[in-house]
Structure formats: C-alpha cells, structure tokens
Amino acid sequence: MVSIMKDYFENTTQITEEGYAAILRIRHDRQRMACHGISLVLAAPFLGRLIYTLILLCTGSASQVRFRPLDVLFLLLLIVAVWVWHYPQTQIRTYLRRTRKDLDLHAVHQYAFFPDHLQMMTTTTQEKYELGYHALTWVKSDGHWIVLYFAPQQFTMLVDRNGFTYGTAEACLRFLRGKIQKM
C-alpha cells in the first residue's frame, strides 16, 4: 500500500464505446464549436426573414408577405446550417462504426498518478507504461470522463471520473492541470 501522499491518485477505468466516443468528442471540441458558430451564421438570414414575416402577420400586414426567390436561398442556408450543426456528431458515429472491431472493449486500465509521472497498466496484456507530465499537452473532462493528451507520443488517455480508488476526480484534475501550467 502506498503511504498517504498528497499528490497521488489511483484509478481503474473500463474502456467502453461510450468512453471512446467521449475521447473523440472532447478531442474535437473546437471543431464542434466552430460548426455550431457557422450554423448560427448560416441560419441567421432565414431566421431574420422569418421574424420579419411573423411581424407582418401579427400587425395585420399579411398582404405584404410574399415568397421571394431570396427566400429559397435562405431556406437552403438553413438546411446547410442544420447539417453543419450535426456534422461533428455524425462524424463521431461514423468513425465508431468503422473502428468498432478494433476496440478492446474488455480492457481495463489501471492508473497511478505520482508527483513526477504516471503509470498505466492494461489488464488484458499486463503491459505497463510510464509517462512523464512534461509530455502532457492538455486535460479536458466532461461529467463522466477525463481525457489526457500527450502530444509528443500522440497518445490519448481515458480516465473514468467514477473509477478513483485513491483520491478524487476533482483533486486529480487540479493536480494534472497544475502540472501543465508548470511546464
């Protein structure tokens, strides 16, 4: 048993398809935000025209409401906006379908976060890996997962927030984010 250490955490994570999707979602968060922004810009002309038409209808000026060729363009822009909004999620589902057979969904990863490095062991192969925090590029999380990315190795690590057997997810996140700021 490890003696009580302030900066020590243990975690056991079952690799699942949901976790794998979380890696893809979190890694491509910027793309998702960009697609949502583009969607809003594309939808704006249609929404503006819709609001204008509703105002005319509400004020009793229904005779001024006319379908114009420009409205077709605005409608097409709205259709493209909806597609662009959903594109990142569609891309993730497609990638998961293509790579499902390559996933080891029986793998359990055991992590030990030490003050100067972390160790990972995969229970299916019993292989142990050791990574220094100097290679840690970013740490992101959602409600269930923590994702660590090591750029030099192009390696992404998935950690279950509920899988901590020593320490807590919040304390480990603070610890890891502190390691990135010190680098």
Side-chain angles (χ1 to χ4, degrees):
M1 181 76 186
V2 175
S3 63
I4 296 177
M5 296 172 63
K6 178 184 169 200
D7 294 333
Y8 175 78
F9 306 92
E10 286 182 4
N11 181 285
T12 302
T13 298
Q14 169 75 45
I15 303 302
T16 64
E17 193 169 308
E18 175 194 337
Y20 189 61
I23 289 174
L24 297 172
R25 187 178 60 254
I26 291 171
R27 281 192 68 183
H28 299 289
D29 198 37
R30 284 188 185 149
Q31 177 194 16
R32 184 181 56 82
M33 289 186 332
C35 286
H36 287 181
I38 291 168
S39 293
L40 294 175
V41 169
L42 290 173
F46 178 82
L47 296 175
R49 179 71 174 145
L50 181 64
I51 291 169
Y52 173 73
T53 303
L54 290 174
I55 291 171
L56 287 177
L57 291 172
C58 290
T59 59
S61 304
S63 63
Q64 292 181 357
V65 176
R66 288 183 179 41
F67 185 72
R68 295 189 168 90
L70 195 55
D71 294 333
V72 174
L73 174 64
F74 291 165
L75 184 60
L76 288 174
L77 286 175
L78 179 67
I79 292 168
V80 170
V82 169
W83 181 82
V84 170
W85 183 276
H86 293 285
Y87 178 71
Q89 195 61 32
T90 303
Q91 202 176 24
I92 288 172
R93 280 194 305 270
T94 302
Y95 189 77
L96 279 173
R97 269 195 309 273
R98 253 191 1 249
T99 60
R100 184 173 280 130
K101 65 183 178 314
D102 298 330
L103 295 177
D104 184 3
L105 296 177
H106 301 288
V108 176
H109 294 180
Q110 294 178 331
Y111 303 109
F113 299 90
F114 293 97
D116 58 341
H117 69 281
L118 66 88
Q119 288 180 343
M120 177 183 121
M121 183 180 82
T122 304
T123 57
T124 53
T125 62
Q126 297 297 313
E127 292 182 74
K128 288 185 181 182
Y129 303 95
E130 191 170 298
L131 293 162
Y133 295 116
H134 66 279
L136 183 59
T137 308
W138 54 255
V139 177
K140 296 180 183 179
S141 68
D142 64 13
H144 190 85
W145 306 101
I146 299 171
V147 178
L148 291 71
Y149 182 67
F150 298 84
Q153 295 90 348
Q154 294 185 350
F155 179 69
T156 306
M157 184 180 290
L158 180 69
V159 179
D160 186 345
R161 289 179 70 101
N162 299 318
F164 281 88
T165 56
Y166 189 90
T168 65
E170 290 73 24
C172 188
L173 269 171
R174 279 193 305 277
F175 167 75
L176 292 169
R177 287 180 174 144
K179 291 296 183 182
I180 293 172
Q181 292 172 355
K182 290 180 183 177
M183 300 301 152

